[in-house]
Amino acid sequence: RLLAHLRFFDTLLELVEFKDTHRRWPTYMSKASEGERALGTWLYTIREAAHQGRLPDSMRGVLDRQVPGWNNP
């Protein structure tokens, strides 16, 4: 569980850096770089978990604070 939380925060940092640099959300479409596709897939998965009520409130709160609008593509 700790490892999963560490991975979440590592990927969240990548998302924050991507958003700050590119001023857009990463995509998982084929034209994107491999790194962007991985980040876009992670964000899609997080959004799906949120919509299905499976995302812990603590993670939702961190996302809301660090990357406002993350759940509204």
Side-chain angles (χ1 to χ4, degrees), residues 31-49:
K31 292 183 180 181
S33 69
E34 184 177 336
E36 181 178 351
R37 283 194 311 272
L39 194 54
T41 300
W42 178 85
L43 182 56
Y44 174 82
T45 303
I46 291 293
R47 286 172 173 160
E48 285 296 303

Side-chain angles (χ1 to χ4, degrees), residues 2 4-5 8 15 17 20 29 32-33 35 39 43 50 52 62-64 72:
L2 178 60
H5 277 94
F8 171 83
L15 179 62
E17 290 173 354
D20 286 347
M29 301 297 180
S33 69
L39 194 54
L43 182 56
Q52 295 170 3
V62 169
L63 285 159
D64 287 343
N72 301 310

